[in-house]
Amino acid sequence: MKDLTDRALNLAETQGASYADVRVVQRRTQNITTKNGVVEGLSDNESQGFGVRVVVDGAWGFASSAVLTPAEVDRVTALAIQIARASALFKTHDVQLGPPAVQQGSYHTPVVIDPWSISLEEKIGLLLEANEGLRATPGVMVASASLALWRENKTFASSEGSFIEQEIVEVGGGIEALAIDRDTGEVQKRSYPNSFGRDQRSEGWETILAMDLPGNAPRIGEEAVALLSADQCPSGVTTIILGATQLALQVHESCGHPIELDRVFGTEASYAGTSFLTPDKYGSFRYGSDIVNLTADATIPGGLGTFGWDDEGVPAQRVPIVRDGIFCGYLTSRETAQQLHDIVGDGAPERSGGAMRADGWNRIPIIRMTNVSLEPGEWEFDELVADTDDGIYMEMNKSWSIDDKRLNFQFGTEIAYEIKGGKMGRMLKNATYTGITPQFWQSCDAICNEDHWQVWGTPNCGKGQPSQVAHTGHGTAPARFRNVQVGVMK
Amino acid sequence: MLGEKRIKEIADSILARSTADQTEVVILSSDSYLTRFANSTIHQNVAETDTEVRIRVVLQRGGEDGAQVGVATTNDLDPEALARTLESAMDIARVQPRNPAFRSLPGPQPLPDVTAFSESTAGCTPEQRARGAGAICTLARDQGVVASGALTTATFEVGVANSLGVSAYSATTSADINTVIMSDTSAGYAAALALDVDDMNFEAIGREAVDKCLHAQNPRSLEPGEYTVILEPYAVQDFIQMMSWTGFNAVAVQEGRSFMVGRMGEQIVDPRISIWDDGLSPEGIPLPFDFEGVPKQRVDLIQEGVARGVVYDSYRAGKEEGKSSTGHALPAPNSFGPMPLNVFFAPGKGSLAEMIRSTERGIYVTRFHYTRPVEPKQVVITGMTRDGTFLVENGELAYPVKNLRFTQSYLEALNHVDVIGAEPRLLPGMGGLGRDSVPALKLNKFRFTGATEF
C-alpha cells in the first residue's frame, strides 16, 4: 500500500502540488432485511479504491478510481492536478491549510465479538425470531427486522509525512412494525431501538445481543396496533419531555449541522444551506439555557463518529460546542480553522478540531459531525415526569424537517403520552412539535442524568455534492422543554 | 468507459461459471465529474471512475415454490475477485430459508432502440466545467451577490445479463447544474438538466437565479395561514417525488400504506392532472431498460385525476396474479421496491405571468426545502420554502417574504388546482438517476403553519 501512496504523492509534488494526500479505502458491508417472515434482501458488498486530493496553484483538485494499479495511480494523480488547475482559473484566494499536521499510527475499533465471525444462519435466525414476535399482535401488517454490518479499512498518507491506517467496524440492527387499520387505512409505526430501521454503533456483535431484538418485538407490535386507537395529539403550547432517541435527532439537526464550519462559511449553500451560527456569535451567543452543554467528541467508545484520525489525518478530539448555554465551538477542518482564527483571533484554535470525514474512496473529506452530544444532567426520569404537571412525553422520530439555516424545525414522533399531575397517562398518536432552535434550547429546564444517557447512531446523514452519507453519533438523555408548539398536523 | 464488449465479457464469464439455477449479473460503470462552487469561486472539484458488478443467484429446489436468493457485489474486476463474489452470493443463497414469493428472474424481451448519449458531455474537460461554473460566478460578482452551485457531467454504462437470456447494454450521458445565488438578505435558485452539456446556457441559468436573488432582498415577515400559492416547477417536482416515494410503487401498495390502495379507478385529484412514468420518452432522458434488463414501459400513474397504476419490478409483480414487471426495478436486493424514475406531469395552458396576474392574494414559491412525509395515506408533507418567496397581491409580486413552513396534504392540494403551467422543465430527479418533467402550478389552497427568521 505504501508503494502506491508514495507513488501518488511523489508524482503530485513533481507536477506542481503544494499539498497532496491519498486515501486508499476498502469497505465491506453486509445487509440483511426480513419482512413478514421472509428474507427480503441479503447482500454482501465490497468496494475498494483510492482518491488523490491536491492543492495546485492555490486551488483544490480531486480524482479517484477503483483500479489499484501503478498506471491508474499515475492517471488519477495527473487528473487531480489538471482539475486543480482548472479550479484555479476562477479562484479568489489561495487555499490555506495552516500548520502541518504530521501523524503516524493506527487505530482499530475495539470489538468484543467480531460481527463478521457470526454465521449468516445465526443472523437470519435472530431476525426471523424478531419478525415472529412483531407479528404476534393481530393488526401488524408489515413486520421488519434488519441488520447491517460495516468494516472499513483505510490508509491515509500526505505530502507532509503522515501515514495512518485505520479499521472501523460498525453494527446496526432494528425492528419495525406497521399497523394498518383495514377500514380507515390509517398507518401507524413503531420502531426499536431507533427509528428508520436501526440503531448503529462502532462496536461488535455484543451490541446486537444487548439490543435483544426478539425480546422487545412483542411490545413494539402491541404498541403499533395500540396507536391506531390512541387519541390524536392535541394542538397547543405546552411542556414536552423528549425521549433520548428523538432528542438525538433534535441535537443532530439543530446543533450538529449548524456548527459545521463549512456550512457557516457558505460552502454548502448550494445544497443543504448555511447556518445561523455566524462567527460573530462565537463565544457569546446564548444557544440554550444554563443547563445545556453540548460537546463534539470523536473519542467516545462505541460512537458512530468515533475514530483515531479524521480523513485529513487530524487526531480525534473532544471539542466543547456549548457550555452553560453559550455557543463556544464549531466542527472544523484545517482550512476552516485557519479562516475562523483569522476572523476571531486567538479566541479560536488555529488547528483543526478533526471533523473532516469522507464517505469512501471516491469522495473528498468534508466537515461532518463526529459524536455531537447533550451532556447529562441531574434528573432521574421518573422524578422528571413526577415534576411535570401538564405536558406530553414524545419518543422515537417519525418525521423531521428544518430550514436551510437550521432555525425553524418540525419533528413528528411515533408515540407520545400525555402527562397530567406528574403521571404518564393516555397514549397519543401523530405527535408533532415545532420551534426555532435557540428559543427551543433556551426553554430546556431539566435533563436526565448519566443513568439515562446513551450514545445513539444516525447512519444516514446526507450532505455534499456529490452526495455523501455520514455515520454520526449523539449521546443524549431525556430532557424537558417548556412552551413548545405541539400538534401541528391537522 | 469499459465498453459493451468488455461488460459483456465480464457478465458472460460469471454466468458461465455459476452453478445456480438462475443467475443475474448487473454491471454499473461510471465516469463522473463534479465542479462545485461557493462564495463565487470553485472550492471542490472532483472526478470518479468506478465499476460495480452485482451478482444475484437464485436456488430453486425442484418442485417447490419460491427460491433462495443471494446477492454479492464487488468493484474489483480481477477474475479471482469476481469468482469470490459469485461464491459469496452462492453461500448467502444456500443458508437462507426459502422465499415462497420469489418466482423467477425475468426472461428476455425485445429491447427498445433508444439512445441518450452525447459525445460532448462524455468528453467534457475540467476546463470546460470550470468555465461553465466560472460564468455564473462572474455574473454574480458583477451584480454584487455570491454564487454557489454544482455542475456535473457523467457517463453511465449499464449492462444486465441473466441465465434466462437477458442481455442488455446501454450507455448514457447527463449534465446537470444547480445554483444558489445569495445576498445578505436573500437567495435565488436555478437548475437544469440536459443530455448534451453544450445545450446548457450557463449565463441564462445564472441570470435566472441572480434575478430572483436581487428581487427577493429585504424580505418581510408574513403570518402563516392558508393561501393561494403559485409554485415554480422546482416546487412542483416535490409533489412527484413525495407521491412516488409514498405511493406510486408496488411495495407501498402491497404493504397497504400507499394512498393508491383501494382507490384505483377513483378520482383522487383534479381531472386536469395526469402524471405518468415513461423511461423511453425522448422528451426526457430515456433509459431503455431497468436494472433487471426489463424494457421500460409507460405507466399511467394518475390519468385525468383518476388513480390508474403503480410501477412494478419482477419480484413485486410475482406477488400479484396477472401482473408483470413494468420495467422499474432498482438494483437487487431492493427493499425500497420499484421506483418511477422518468416522471411526467402533463402541462396545461397557463403561464407564470398569468398565474400572478390572476391572483388577488397569494404566495409565490420558487422551491421547497427539506420536505418529509408526516402522514403517508393523505401524503401530508412538511417542509420550508426557499430561495425566493413572494407575496402576490392584486395581480403583482408585491414584496419578498421570509421563508414559511408548510404542513399540507399534497392530495388535498391537488384537488384545488387553478392553473397548470404550459412549459414544463426537465429536472434531475430521485437518487441521481431520476429525471422529472414538471410544469408550474397555481393552487387555491395551501397551508403554511410556521415561519422562520429569514
Side-chain angles (χ1 to χ4, degrees), chain A residues 35 40 43-44 46 48 62 64 87 180 185 253 265 267-271 362-363 400-401 403 408 465, chain B residues 36 39 41 43 45 47-49 71-73 75 96 99 178 255 315 370 372-373 377 386 405 451-452:
Chain A
K35 213 177 256 191
E40 280 243 321
S43 65
D44 213 287
E46 290 188 2
Q48 64 177 19
F62 175 83
S64 62
S87 302
I180 302 178
E253 296 293 350
F265 287 145
T267 57
E268 291 293 321
S270 58
Y271 183 58
N362 54 349
R363 294 288 183 266
W400 73 105
S401 175
D403 72 34
N408 178 301
Q465 291 171 303
Chain B
R36 198 174 189 206
N39 300 314
T41 187
H43 69 305
N45 206 345
E48 165 190 356
T49 301
V71 176
T73 72
N75 70 344
Q96 281 193 51
N99 181 346
N178 77 288
E255 291 183 355
Y315 174 57
Y370 221 135
R372 289 292 185 277
K377 283 311 248 315
R386 187 178 167 180
R405 169 168 295 285
T452 191

Side-chain angles (χ1 to χ4, degrees), chain B residues 247-365:
Chain B
F248 284 151
N249 65 80
V251 171
V253 168
Q254 289 170 358
E255 291 183 355
R257 53 184 168 81
S258 164
F259 60 88
M260 303 282 267
V261 168
R263 306 197 73 185
M264 291 296 181
E266 271 184 36
Q267 194 85 35
I268 61 169
V269 292
D270 188 286
R272 287 168 290 172
I273 293 177
S274 292
I275 302 173
W276 67 96
D277 184 279
D278 187 355
L280 303 182
S281 170
E283 304 292 317
I285 296 188
L287 291 172
F289 52 84
D290 70 4
F291 293 96
E292 291 182 310
V294 173
K296 286 270 178 193
Q297 292 171 36
R298 175 180 166 136
V299 175
D300 288 298
L301 305 164
I302 292 177
Q303 194 174 40
E304 294 174 358
V306 174
R308 280 287 175 231
V310 297
V311 298
Y312 285 82
D313 55 23
S314 67
Y315 174 57
R316 274 80 189 189
K319 289 184 165 194
E320 291 183 45
E321 202 62 46
K323 283 279 191 258
S324 52
S325 170
T326 57
H328 289 83
L330 297 180
N334 171 27
S335 315
F336 296 115
M339 276 296 154
L341 293 180
N342 301 83
V343 183
F344 292 81
F345 190 130
K349 296 185 167 52
S351 69
L352 277 168
E354 284 164 13
M355 292 180 199
I356 294 169
R357 273 201 300 275
S358 65
T359 299
E360 202 178 299
R361 186 175 167 82
I363 298 177
Y364 182 104
V365 176

